[in-house]
Amino acid sequence: MRESGRSFKQATASIDGWHIRTLAEMPCEGLRCLSKLWQATEAAGEWPEWEQIAITYLIPKQSGEGTRPVTVCRSLFRWYGNLVAREAGLWAAKTAGHEINNRKGRETLDATYREQARAEARKRMDIISVEVGKDVKKAFDQVSRWILVQHGIGRNYPRRALWMSLMSYTWKRRMCLQGVLGWAIGSNIGIVAGSPFAVQELTLIMCKVVDYWKQTNPMGCISTHVDDVAISVRARSVEEVQDRVVQAVKSLDEVVEGKLQMKFSKGKTYIIQSQSNVVDGMVKAGLLEGTLCKKGEYIRRLGVDHNLEGEGAKEGEVSVARRLKGLGRGSRLRRFARGRRKGGNLYRAAALGSSMYGAEVSMWSMAELQKERRRAAGHT
């Protein structure tokens, strides 16, 4: 309990004025009493009524376009949720495959480097490829709780974490806008963004998407990061790759919109083709929905274009703010690794990849890119 409480940052939001890091320093007797309260709560199946308070804040998005609703609960529940959510994290590490990039130990760049290795092979063997990226609309709000329970039981998701999260989703929530609280409202669908269990529960749903799509498209590749799904198919002829991309999109729509009852954002669908005039006619005819991007060997992850041919990216493809932020994190990590045993290798192989997300293509040397690409391509 003490270790979990100390893991919260100093700037962690606290709607009740009790900071979790401060609570974690209470004497051992106080921690034992609190643990007994939590055990009684689990046995009763109900959280104390005075603790059932949740406030939803509108947080500006990093891109600057719109806001993102994040719900904050009282400190004791967040502390308890952090402890129970560790069980869900261990489950995700053992169950979710390498296609799920939002689980612990995975990075968006892992999928980028794997695709970069495939792009080099396709270029040598004259293979045509098409990638389609889709964004699940309001993913957290669309998750059916009944479907979540079904897949949770079927995939041996930790029952305690599932039960406590479903219990918290029934609480009334208030919207806070510029310091003004709204009326208490409830919901019977969706999972709460900001909950300690939300990311792992979305991982549970995405496991169903990945498994179903891979069964119907054994020759394709799929990658997910939270609510972004990217699929790619390849073939030697234009006709064959056209048939495969139609089947791939159809399978993805079947599992997401049919079996999981969620919707895609039509305006955020993009299509990337390795050469021109592969699916242009299909898009014009309405057989494929999406926006055609520039042709060439590159992929798009979370709105960032990654050049798979190792060429320097042009200024503007990656925002200057993201580059500066990556440089700042990279310099701090380099200072931390200096002087430690194998610290330099650790920095280059692991830390630098995540810290330079969005700027790695234009700032790394070709030798470093090839080394990281081979490492990530063979990592499962």
Side-chain angles (χ1 to χ4, degrees):
M1 291 173 63
R2 202 181 301 277
E3 177 189 358
S4 172
R6 290 171 177 173
S7 66
F8 286 85
K9 298 180 180 179
Q10 291 284 358
T12 300
S14 173
I15 63 174
D16 52 11
W18 290 3
H19 200 289
I20 303 176
R21 291 179 64 94
T22 304
L23 294 174
E25 301 302 327
M26 71 172 66
C28 295
E29 186 62 31
L31 294 178
R32 280 193 290 268
C33 292
L34 183 58
S35 65
K36 291 180 181 179
L37 174 63
W38 288 343
Q39 291 173 358
T41 299
E42 290 180 1
E46 187 69 28
W47 199 258
E49 184 177 355
W50 64 86
E51 287 286 323
Q52 297 181 18
I53 298 176
I55 299 178
T56 301
Y57 297 91
L58 297 179
I59 309 298
K61 292 184 178 180
Q62 189 175 7
S63 61
E65 300 177 358
T67 57
R68 190 186 309 277
V70 175
T71 301
V72 181
C73 298
R74 291 177 67 93
S75 298
L76 289 182
F77 180 78
R78 297 181 65 190
W79 190 4
Y80 170 81
N82 181 272
L83 287 166
V84 179
R86 296 186 178 190
E87 301 175 6
L90 293 175
W91 169 88
K94 295 179 181 179
T95 306
H98 65 274
E99 297 88 357
I100 309 294
N101 289 308
N102 56 294
R103 69 180 178 86
K104 186 177 181 180
R106 303 297 304 178
E107 293 287 346
T108 308
L109 288 179
D110 291 341
T112 304
Y113 291 132
R114 281 198 304 274
E115 191 63 25
Q116 193 173 27
R118 297 189 187 108
E120 188 175 282
R122 290 195 299 261
K123 194 173 183 179
R124 291 198 308 265
M125 302 172 67
D126 294 328
I127 294 178
I128 305 171
S129 66
V130 176
E131 176 180 292
V132 179
K134 291 197 170 190
D135 180 89
V136 181
K137 184 178 181 180
K138 305 293 183 183
F140 289 97
D141 298 332
Q142 287 196 71
V143 174
S144 169
R145 295 173 188 171
W146 172 243
I147 294 177
L148 179 65
V149 172
Q150 284 182 315
H151 290 290
I153 295 175
R155 294 181 180 272
N156 294 322
Y157 186 83
R159 300 293 178 86
R160 183 167 64 155
L162 182 60
W163 170 248
M164 297 306 293
S165 67
L166 291 175
M167 178 195 67
S168 66
Y169 296 158
T170 62
W171 298 348
K172 301 290 185 180
R173 301 194 293 270
R174 296 176 180 269
M175 181 75 71
C176 180
L177 184 61
Q178 296 182 354
V180 180
L181 287 176
W183 295 102
I185 56 176
S187 66
N188 56 8
I189 190 173
I191 57 181
V192 178
S195 168
F197 316 98
V199 174
Q200 306 303 343
E201 289 171 348
L202 193 61
T203 298
L204 173 64
I205 295 297
M206 287 301 171
C207 284
K208 171 64 177 178
V209 176
V210 171
D211 292 346
Y212 183 89
W213 192 88
K214 288 174 66 177
Q215 290 176 1
T216 55
N217 300 271
M219 296 299 294
C221 301
I222 184 171
S223 175
T224 68
H225 190 91
V226 190
D227 56 355
D228 291 329
V229 183
I231 56 176
S232 62
V233 295
R234 59 191 183 276
R236 293 187 179 276
S237 64
V238 174
E239 293 78 10
E240 190 176 1
V241 77
Q242 288 176 347
D243 294 338
R244 289 183 178 179
V245 72
V246 170
Q247 175 62 29
V249 173
K250 180 181 177 182
S251 302
L252 188 62
D253 291 342
E254 285 177 356
V255 64
V256 174
E257 298 188 345
K259 297 183 177 298
L260 298 178
Q261 302 176 12
M262 303 169 76
K263 300 295 182 182
F264 284 116
S265 297
K266 301 299 182 182
K268 295 183 178 180
T269 303
Y270 68 87
I271 303 172
I272 299 176
Q273 48 189 348
S274 59
Q275 64 185 48
S276 57
N277 299 322
V278 177
V279 293
D280 299 59
M282 301 175 66
V283 174
K284 292 180 180 178
L287 299 177
L288 277 180
E289 294 183 353
T291 303
L292 275 173
C293 303
K294 61 183 181 181
K295 65 180 181 65
E297 288 294 356
Y298 77 99
I299 63 174
R300 177 172 294 180
R301 292 292 183 270
L302 301 182
V304 178
D305 294 340
H306 299 267
N307 192 331
L308 300 181
E309 297 177 351
E311 300 175 356
K314 296 181 180 179
E315 186 72 26
E317 290 186 356
V318 179
S319 66
V320 176
R322 180 169 286 177
R323 289 189 180 190
L324 294 177
K325 185 178 293 185
L327 280 175
R329 290 196 299 267
S331 62
R332 290 194 296 271
L333 289 169
R334 185 183 293 275
R335 289 196 300 269
F336 174 78
R338 186 181 295 120
R340 297 174 180 266
R341 185 181 180 184
K342 299 182 179 179
N345 293 335
L346 173 66
Y347 169 78
R348 287 190 293 272
L352 186 60
S354 60
S355 66
M356 295 300 292
Y357 165 64
E360 72 291 340
V361 173
S362 59
M363 293 191 177
W364 281 26
S365 67
M366 193 61 185
E368 288 176 319
L369 276 176
Q370 290 176 349
K371 178 181 178 181
E372 293 305 301
R373 184 179 59 193
R374 288 193 296 268
R375 180 191 66 83
H379 180 60
T380 59

